[in-house]
Amino acid sequence: MRTAIILSASALLAFGQPAAADTLENVQAAGKVTCGVNGSRAGFSSIDSQGRWQGLDVDTCRAIAAATLGDAEATEFVKTTSQTRFTALQTGEIDVLTRNTTMTYSRDGELGVDFAAITFYDGQGFMVPADLGVTSIEELDGAAICVLPGTTAEQVVESVFSERGLNYTPIVFQDAKELSSAFFAGRCDAHIQSSSGLASTRATLAPNPEDYVILPKIFDKDPMGPVVRQDDARWKDIVAWTVHAMVTAEEMGITSGNVDDMRETGSDTIKRLLGAGDTDIGAPLGLNADWIYQIVSQVGNYGEVYDRNLGSGSPMNLARGQNALWKDGGLIYAPPLK
């Protein structure tokens, strides 16, 4: 999610020197990948009732560990806040930030960090009670909308309703939890927030999640993905191509369930991707030839990761929407692995 930049790059470095440039060697020496996460955002990074970390951001970290160490469980998760996440990355406390962090020009240009790839395209959405019978924004004319002051959501709702010639009454709350409580108590007709935030709120705070619907239209742009330091080009490539590999696997129909068969009986292209071909696909990144096989067999392809954490296989039940593959009308797209 978007938050104000608290520290400049120079201020961040004042907390300590960045880690040595060869992050892969550091990770291999430590025997683990250390990832900065939110820790309290359902669907992205949280701890389940059995004490196990779960979420899209968590599985992204596990995929990096599978690629670099051959073990998706060779991970350490460090909780970070909106204020501490970039500091933790800059000072080397973490190897990669996988924490629902939006890519913006100012962050990319001023903080000495690189956004490696996009794992989730987010934006502002509207949630309504199912019994309201609303299926589109146009049907919310005259509605009472729960909003937080000074947020992107407040700006978006004004723009969306104004552009459509619709009227609304803003019901303003200073605190997100107070706002959610008021919405579920029926004080507002609609709740606007990032679509992932709405899904998380519905799954964790709604008395009965099935009683609330997130409308399909998304507004504004919040592309999120893993972030690395700017001092290590190879590590950025490893993190980026880990994400691309999961997407490519989904595109090619390679899943955690069929990856062993595909490695033996698939096309020459699939065999090469899974480390069973004549070409060592891991060599350019300093990885083992079977790095993609390890990702898919231990973590899954992008679609599997999405479905179990955010989609139909999760309490979030968030439609793929913009996060469908490009060939299915979404924005998820991987460069060629060749």
Side-chain angles (χ1 to χ4, degrees):
M1 295 178 67
R2 292 177 181 167
T3 55
I5 294 174
I6 305 300
L7 298 172
S8 67
S10 58
L12 283 165
L13 293 178
F15 283 87
Q17 293 301 312
D22 202 328
T23 309
L24 177 60
E25 289 185 3
N26 293 342
V27 162
Q28 291 172 335
K32 64 182 178 181
V33 177
T34 303
C35 297
V37 296
N38 182 310
S40 302
R41 193 175 183 90
F44 289 86
S45 60
S46 60
I47 301 175
D48 65 18
S49 58
Q50 282 73 49
R52 179 171 170 79
W53 283 96
Q54 62 180 3
L56 178 69
D57 291 339
V58 168
D59 280 343
T60 299
C61 181
R62 290 191 175 119
I64 297 167
T68 55
L69 300 170
D71 181 2
E73 297 304 314
T75 54
E76 179 180 356
F77 299 104
V78 176
K79 289 186 179 182
T80 62
T81 67
S82 298
Q83 289 74 33
T84 66
R85 53 185 166 179
F86 293 115
T87 306
L89 182 62
Q90 284 284 11
T91 59
E93 180 183 356
I94 58 176
D95 301 310
V96 57
L97 180 64
T98 54
R99 187 197 184 279
N100 57 286
T101 300
T102 301
M103 179 180 184
T104 68
Y105 171 70
S106 55
R107 287 173 175 170
D108 196 42
E110 297 176 5
L111 294 183
V113 301
D114 280 328
F115 287 79
I118 303 302
T119 55
F120 189 83
Y121 288 93
D122 208 351
Q124 300 295 307
F126 291 83
M127 180 163 61
V128 298
D131 60 12
L132 202 61
V134 170
T135 59
S136 70
I137 299 300
E138 285 71 21
E139 297 174 66
L140 287 175
D141 190 20
I145 312 293
C146 284
V147 294
L148 291 173
T151 62
T152 299
E154 185 181 41
Q155 298 169 7
V156 169
V157 71
E158 171 61 28
S159 173
V160 167
F161 276 72
S162 176
E163 289 174 359
R164 289 162 174 74
L166 305 175
N167 296 312
Y168 74 99
T169 300
I171 308 297
V172 181
F173 299 90
Q174 299 296 324
D175 178 79
K177 288 186 178 180
E178 181 187 4
L179 185 153
S180 296
S181 296
F183 171 70
F184 292 126
R187 293 179 58 187
C188 317
D189 299 309
H191 179 357
I192 179 173
Q193 192 183 3
S194 66
S195 65
S196 60
L198 289 176
S200 178
T201 297
R202 179 177 63 181
T204 59
L205 298 178
N208 185 358
E210 295 182 358
D211 289 343
Y212 300 90
V213 176
I214 298 173
L215 300 182
K217 184 75 173 178
I218 300 297
F219 304 90
D220 204 35
K221 296 185 291 185
D222 285 295
M224 302 187 294
V227 191
V228 298
R229 290 180 294 276
Q230 246 173 11
D231 62 2
D232 191 341
R234 179 170 70 164
W235 183 246
K236 177 188 176 183
D237 287 345
I238 288 171
V239 173
W241 285 101
T242 293
V243 174
H244 299 327
M246 288 193 289
V247 173
T248 298
E250 183 182 9
E251 291 175 344
M252 301 184 75
I254 307 170
T255 70
S256 58
N258 68 20
V259 67
D260 288 314
D261 287 339
M262 295 285 262
R263 195 182 189 195
E264 296 294 328
T265 63
S267 66
D268 289 344
T269 297
I270 289 176
K271 289 179 179 178
R272 182 183 68 86
L273 289 176
L274 298 178
D278 296 332
T279 305
D280 184 352
I281 195 171
L285 296 179
L287 304 176
N288 291 334
D290 67 346
W291 67 280
I292 297 177
Y293 168 80
Q294 297 297 339
I295 293 171
V296 180
S297 64
Q298 297 185 52
V299 183
N301 66 34
Y302 178 82
E304 291 179 281
V305 169
Y306 186 98
D307 287 344
R308 70 169 169 261
N309 291 303
L310 295 167
S312 57
S314 78
M316 307 282 280
N317 196 25
L318 191 62
R320 286 286 292 265
Q322 297 178 104
N323 295 292
L325 292 179
W326 61 277
K327 63 182 182 179
D328 297 325
L331 299 175
I332 297 297
Y333 184 98
L337 267 154
K338 63 182 181 181

